[in-house]
Amino acid sequence: MAASSTDNKFALVAEGGLQILIDLALSEDEGVRGYAIEAIAELLTIKSIQIEYLEIGGVNTLMFALRSSDPHVVKESLLAVCQLCRDNETVMAAVLGRKRNWMTCVTVV
């Protein structure tokens, strides 16, 4: 039987993939950065992965990526932030507090 999408996400994180994606999300190559953040956003659909992501400081990566001039990178970063904030007001307050020009970022997408 094939592993479910959720099983694949947990396996990727268990093998250290989350930190690798964070490192790739800081790449100077905008294409690499965009796809890494896209993968992070997909992983963040799972609550336990969100917690791990927050614990290792992943939000800093997203805040950095929001400053990109590449619309794909900004869009994927916003999607990842939305995944983190969707059901967690504490995280939302922390993220919004870090990004004073939040509406500027939102209007790019």
Side-chain angles (χ1 to χ4, degrees):
M1 176 185 276
S4 74
S5 176
T6 301
D7 291 341
N8 290 335
K9 291 173 187 175
F10 283 123
L12 188 131
V13 171
E15 293 296 322
L18 191 55
Q19 185 60 56
I20 292 169
L21 287 170
I22 289 171
D23 294 343
L24 289 172
L26 297 172
S27 170
E28 291 183 22
D29 183 316
E30 293 284 348
V32 171
R33 190 181 310 169
Y35 288 116
I37 293 170
E38 188 173 345
I40 289 169
E42 182 60 33
L43 290 173
L44 294 178
T45 61
I46 299 173
K47 192 72 158 175
S48 62
I49 295 175
Q50 290 177 7
I51 293 166
E52 184 170 343
Y53 186 77
L54 292 168
E55 287 174 349
I56 61 176
V59 171
N60 295 329
T61 302
L62 296 177
M63 296 298 106
F64 172 76
L66 285 171
R67 296 185 207 124
S68 174
S69 61
D70 184 322
H72 176 72
V73 172
V74 173
K75 177 184 174 190
E76 295 303 328
S77 299
L78 284 170
L79 289 173
V81 169
C82 287
Q83 288 292 352
L84 287 172
C85 295
R86 187 176 50 188
D87 295 320
N88 192 327
E89 289 185 25
T90 303
V91 172
M92 184 185 305
V95 169
L96 291 175
R98 297 182 67 140
K99 190 66 182 171
R100 288 175 286 158
N101 266 338
W102 186 251
M103 291 312 295
T104 303
C105 296
V106 173
T107 57
V108 171
V109 177

